[in-house]
Amino acid sequence: MRRLERKDMRAFLDKLASAASLVAPVREDGVVVFRPVSSGEQVVLDYVNPVRSAKELFFPQTEVMFRFLPSPVAGITPVQPDRQTVLFGIRPCDLAALSLLDEVFLGGDYRDACWARRRELTTLVGMACEQPDESSCFCTAFGITPGTADGADIMLYPAGEWLGVEVLTPRGQALLDRVLSDGAVALGEIGPPGAASQAGAGGGAGEAGDRLQQEYLKRPVRLGDRLRVGDLAKELDDRFDDPYWEEASRRCLGCGICTYLCPTCHCFLVTDVPKRDDGVRLRCWDSCQFKDFLLMAGGHNPRPTKKERTRQRFMHKLNYFVHRYGRYLCTGCGRCVQHCPVGLDMATVIADLRGVSEHV
Amino acid sequence: MGGELRAQDAAVGVGGQAGTGAMSAVGHELAEKVGGLLAGGEVRMFLGYGAGRTALRVRPRHVLRPEGAAGLVWNEFCAPSLAKYLLDEQEEEGRVGVLVKTCDLRAMKRLVADRRVDRGRVLLVGVGCAGVVDAGKVEALLVEPVVEAGVQDGKLVLQTRSGVRELPREEYLLERCLHCEDPNPREVDLLVGPEVAPWAARPRDYAEVAEVTAMGAAGRAAYWDRQFARCLRCFACRNVCPACSCRECSLEVWEPMWLPREVSVSEQYMFHFTRAFHVAGRCVDCGECERVCPVSIPLMKLNRALQKEIQELFGVERPWEPEEKEPLAMYTPDDPDFH
Ligand code: SF4
Ligand code: SF4
Ligand code: SF4
Ligand code: SF4
């Protein structure tokens, strides 16, 4: 692990922006969102997590899959993104969400070309969480921590006046080499001043870096520490018919806040938009909480009421997905906890199902 | 039905009941009255509030049995309007009780006027309200969760693990409360709690509309482009709105597809203008759409701009009153513009 002085952060970001198209957290009308930026100035560093998750960088709300031409010249042209991108500031929970979505889009018999292409083109610069939100963050419920770097190409660990910089992949190394190439920004060694030059002195750079990392891996996340899921998936095998679903679902508004903010929800619909001379096939986000989500031609709806729709959302994340992929489909990012207008969120439901208190 | 108890036991947890002594007294009175209504079969369900995850949050609570009434709370964080849940209750026979503040009563009137709710099948329990706190605004200031909250001498007193914090209450109230004309709901079937002293409500001056108008055409376009680009199209604004009660919403129809599923700048305008125009002249000015929007889109600026036009053009000041004209939803043979 190397050391980046906090005062050099803007310059570091400027370099990232010149190396590729940079996407980073910005504050827009008081709301933090990931946005393309052209300089370090625009980036905010005092954020918990952008309200719209990182998934949309790889699975946009509307994606053009291909263009088609009508007969007699019928044909299709796939549309593929081609810009090298750097995503800066992604948190451990969103990193974990990308790896969950890799299972869906890349893990089975089909490889989703759109998702794969965007993943290939994007270098991830993760940011460990200095200040988890105590009333909504609950990543530790799923074994993720404020310091979990899995999936990042480069991980940053804030440490007061400086940040620890850990390179995790060759892609991360390549990006860092480009950023440092002209010498405008330099990284230092970690450890007490002068420690690097006194090779062999107690508590060298390596050890100090490990300590910083360990500190992040063990950082408490109050809500998550209380909600550890353990065997919940198994317990739910028998709770499909639990009256809880109907009772809890009554307060649901049937909106798409929870699913659209969620970094792991990935349902979509496919629609063709014909124009006069050509047309496009689009893939657009959809939500299992919408009442027409499963509506069939002919009018049959297998999930006709809020009860079935609420149950679907939680069972999918806490049971079905676990059966299929061996992992829970929630990373405890807390977006639904913060934004569901009626408190029918993942933390509440886990607390209810397990009979524990969610109050921190 | 066993599930109801389980869900509610968990919800009542450690956070307990927020609110001042006087307010929890109202909570007790409410619980007692509602218990009686359910036990006596006067209502088959009651819609109120239960405790939420922190002291700043409450949750809508559907109470089906007399024992469930004990979990009802009333405090200065009871923001959500409950009237719209009545749409889920149309099929089943029997009356449903609802707790209403003055602003919620306007929502009720809207639903009744639009013939989506039968007033005869609703029992309105009114509660005087001294203003509701915008929990989001308070949360933005604090890192730690609020364990207990209440009001003392006009100050919002918040207890967190590491200490007590006091805030000037008025600065943290919801917008709609600052303009509230009468804190005590009239025309209800039953009242709980004491009369609340009226305060000098600020007149509606449409300052937020003037602010946007002052941006000029190009500035306005940039402003709304940026806002709409953030919109998730989650439809929470529509789902919570008492003026949006169509059985089938045009935004979701596939054939013809009024609103393409594509989320682009122009389609976002299509969506937002459709929503705003559809509630124009019917909007009850509750601000629920803006309150629930997860990405802070200032929807009330659109709603108020139309409200202002309708006031100036047709003299409609209080569109929620049943005797009021609905200029965009009525027909008259002596319309001067009739062709
Ligand atoms: S659970 Fe909450 S956010 Fe999700 S659809 Fe229901 S009301 Fe909306
Ligand atoms: S279910 Fe909620 S907490 Fe879990 S990942 Fe989705 S939005 Fe985040
Ligand atoms: S949930 Fe965990 S990983 Fe995500 S922002 Fe909060 S502390 Fe960080
Ligand atoms: S609630 Fe907000 S984000 Fe959702 S559709 Fe309405 S304006 Fe868009």
Side-chain angles (χ1 to χ4, degrees):
Chain A
M1 193 184 286
R2 312 276 302 281
R3 164 178 174 137
L4 170 67
E5 300 304 320
R6 201 171 271 274
K7 63 176 169 46
D8 294 337
M9 193 65 187
R10 300 286 162 205
F12 180 80
L13 285 161
D14 285 341
K15 287 285 155 201
L16 285 179
S18 55
S21 26
L22 177 62
V23 175
V26 303
R27 189 165 279 117
E28 182 183 289
D29 304 296
V31 183
V32 177
V33 277
F34 285 117
R35 285 278 178 264
V37 295
S38 51
S39 82
E41 287 276 85
Q42 298 160 264
V43 180
V44 292
L45 297 169
D46 62 328
Y47 64 100
V48 176
N49 212 353
V51 54
R52 296 184 59 142
S53 84
K55 81 175 169 195
E56 66 184 310
L57 273 305
F58 307 91
F59 171 48
Q61 184 155 13
T62 303
E63 174 136 62
V64 180
M65 300 167 76
F66 54 77
R67 290 183 193 288
F68 50 81
L69 297 168
S71 59
V73 281
I76 59 171
T77 330
V79 175
Q80 294 257 303
D82 56 4
R83 290 175 74 90
Q84 289 284 344
T85 302
V86 172
L87 174 57
F88 172 89
I90 179 172
R91 296 293 190 190
C93 48
D94 278 12
L95 282 169
L98 293 182
S99 86
L100 285 163
L101 294 180
D102 282 344
E103 304 266 17
V104 176
F105 288 122
L106 307 175
D109 297 338
Y110 299 97
R111 208 177 136 77
D112 186 274
C114 305
W115 173 270
R117 185 82 187 123
R118 289 182 194 274
R119 288 286 271 145
E120 279 156 22
L121 286 169
T122 310
T123 308
L124 300 171
V125 182
M127 179 75 88
C129 308
E130 219 171 351
Q131 185 63 266
D133 185 295
E134 288 197 14
S135 29
S136 61
C137 288
F138 67 110
C139 51
T140 51
F142 297 100
I144 300 156
T145 77
T148 306
D150 300 349
D153 295 299
I154 297 176
M155 192 72 180
L156 303 178
Y157 298 89
E161 292 299 292
W162 52 279
L163 297 99
V165 181
E166 172 93 7
V167 176
L168 294 139
T169 64
R171 184 162 65 179
Q173 189 61 54
L175 176 67
L176 194 62
D177 290 345
R178 254 180 299 158
V179 166
L180 302 178
S181 61
D182 67 354
V185 186
L187 299 184
E189 299 304 324
I190 301 178
S197 52
Q198 302 162 17
E207 233 173 88
D210 288 348
R211 269 204 306 279
L212 178 61
Q213 213 166 11
Q214 280 304 316
E215 198 232 301
Y216 270 103
L217 291 172
K218 293 201 186 103
R219 194 163 282 222
V221 178
R222 295 184 72 95
L223 186 57
D225 294 347
R226 190 174 282 240
L227 294 177
R228 293 183 190 279
V229 282
D231 271 346
L232 182 59
K234 208 146 153 229
E235 291 161 29
L236 287 177
D237 283 346
D238 302 323
R239 294 180 74 172
F240 187 81
D241 291 318
D242 197 309
Y244 175 74
W245 301 121
E246 177 160 13
E247 295 306 333
S249 74
R250 284 182 198 276
R251 67 178 186 268
C252 179
L253 300 173
C255 66
I257 293 181
C258 50
T259 50
Y260 282 180
L261 291 186
C262 179
T264 70
C265 277
H266 53 271
C267 285
F268 56 80
L269 55 83
V270 171
T271 172
D272 288 346
V273 184
K275 305 255 164 71
R276 205 177 56 126
D277 298 320
D278 65 350
V280 288
R281 173 159 297 179
L282 301 177
R283 163 157 95 181
C284 304
W285 287 1
D286 200 356
S287 168
C288 61
Q289 301 304 288
F290 291 158
K291 63 180 187 316
D292 63 354
F293 179 74
L294 276 197
L295 187 65
M296 313 275 165
H300 177 60
N301 191 340
R303 291 189 207 126
T305 73
K306 293 200 284 190
K307 170 185 136 188
E308 293 86 14
R309 299 192 282 268
T310 295
R311 175 172 64 197
Q312 166 61 24
R313 179 158 67 92
F314 292 103
M315 285 294 272
H316 184 207
K317 290 176 177 297
L318 299 174
N319 180 273
Y320 311 151
F321 198 87
V322 185
H323 279 298
R324 198 174 159 97
Y325 298 102
R327 299 161 72 187
Y328 286 96
L329 186 65
C330 168
T331 66
C333 76
R335 290 181 175 92
C336 58
V337 183
Q338 218 165 18
H339 295 285
C340 169
V342 299
L344 183 57
D345 54 72
M346 191 50 98
T348 298
V349 169
I350 291 174
D352 285 353
L353 289 170
R354 312 211 72 189
V356 299
S357 167
E358 61 185 297
H359 297 279
V360 285
Chain B
M1 290 290 129
E4 189 201 10
L5 268 187
R6 226 169 315 149
Q8 295 179 352
D9 287 347
V12 182
V14 191
Q17 185 158 336
T20 55
M23 284 197 132
S24 44
V26 177
H28 289 133
E29 185 190 336
L30 176 67
E32 210 169 289
K33 285 194 171 149
V34 170
L37 290 171
L38 285 160
E42 278 174 80
V43 297
R44 66 171 169 86
M45 174 192 279
F46 187 82
L47 295 166
Y49 304 98
R53 184 174 31 91
T54 71
L56 296 181
R57 302 273 186 130
V58 296
R59 289 176 191 148
R61 184 178 166 101
H62 293 65
V63 186
L64 298 166
R65 289 173 304 168
E67 313 85 270
L72 288 171
V73 302
W74 167 248
N75 60 42
E76 38 275 301
F77 304 99
C78 292
S81 162
L82 304 170
K84 207 155 173 212
Y85 286 115
L86 292 168
L87 293 187
D88 296 336
E89 306 302 328
Q90 301 300 293
E91 306 294 309
E92 221 171 306
E93 284 302 308
R95 268 166 123 198
V96 174
V98 190
L99 186 66
V100 286
K101 312 179 285 291
T102 309
C103 45
D104 305 336
L105 199 58
R106 298 204 300 261
M108 267 305 304
K109 286 181 182 169
R110 175 83 275 138
L111 289 165
V112 171
D114 292 343
R115 301 215 212 135
R116 292 292 273 122
V117 167
D118 176 355
R119 177 67 180 85
R121 286 175 55 196
V122 179
L123 185 121
L124 294 178
V125 178
V127 59
C129 170
V132 170
V133 173
D134 185 337
K137 257 194 216 168
V138 177
E139 281 167 356
L141 297 177
L142 305 167
V143 208
E144 287 181 340
V146 176
V147 194
E148 243 178 84
V151 170
Q152 262 162 36
D153 309 324
K155 283 184 303 249
L156 193 57
V157 185
L158 308 167
Q159 171 92 50
T160 64
R161 243 185 359 266
S162 57
V164 175
R165 175 121 183 221
E166 290 185 359
L167 299 172
R169 186 185 79 106
E170 220 177 284
E171 287 172 30
Y172 290 87
L173 290 182
L174 288 177
E175 243 288 303
R176 69 180 183 231
C177 301
L178 301 174
H179 304 288
C180 182
E181 294 170 340
D182 180 0
N184 299 293
R186 318 284 165 185
E187 309 157 73
V188 294
D189 302 309
L190 193 70
L191 273 167
V192 289
E195 281 259 313
V196 168
W199 55 91
R202 296 182 199 164
R204 166 116 356 283
D205 56 5
Y206 299 109
E208 67 282 81
V209 179
E211 200 185 291
V212 180
T213 312
M215 291 174 188
R220 276 205 303 280
Y223 177 78
W224 289 115
D225 280 1
R226 190 177 73 235
Q227 304 295 338
F228 296 160
R230 221 166 44 237
C231 168
L232 288 158
R233 235 194 249 175
C234 66
F235 295 145
C237 48
R238 174 199 67 183
N239 287 18
V240 81
C241 172
C244 281
S245 63
C246 294
R247 286 183 175 79
E248 198 175 11
C249 175
S250 70
L251 303 171
E252 269 161 3
V253 175
W254 277 85
E255 197 64 64
M257 194 179 277
W258 301 108
L259 179 69
R261 292 336 185 229
E262 180 184 350
V263 176
S264 59
V265 179
S266 68
E267 299 306 346
Q268 291 296 66
Y269 273 83
M270 177 73 185
F271 160 42
H272 281 279
F273 287 176
T274 305
R275 192 206 58 80
F277 273 92
H278 198 193
V279 302
R282 302 168 50 255
C283 164
V284 302
D285 207 23
C286 63
E288 284 288 277
C289 50
E290 190 173 297
R291 188 182 65 82
V292 300
C293 176
V295 291
S296 303
I297 297 186
L299 295 166
M300 289 310 286
K301 289 191 171 139
L302 289 177
N303 296 339
R304 293 233 171 85
L306 290 165
Q307 204 174 305
K308 180 167 177 276
E309 295 291 320
I310 285 173
Q311 185 185 336
E312 288 168 2
L313 285 170
F314 305 102
V316 173
E317 300 260 359
R318 303 162 60 75
W320 48 87
E321 293 301 343
E323 57 278 4
E324 193 57 278
K325 289 184 292 227
E326 287 191 23
L328 303 190
M330 60 195 276
Y331 160 81
T332 141
D334 30 271
D335 188 330
D337 289 335
F338 184 76
H339 300 291

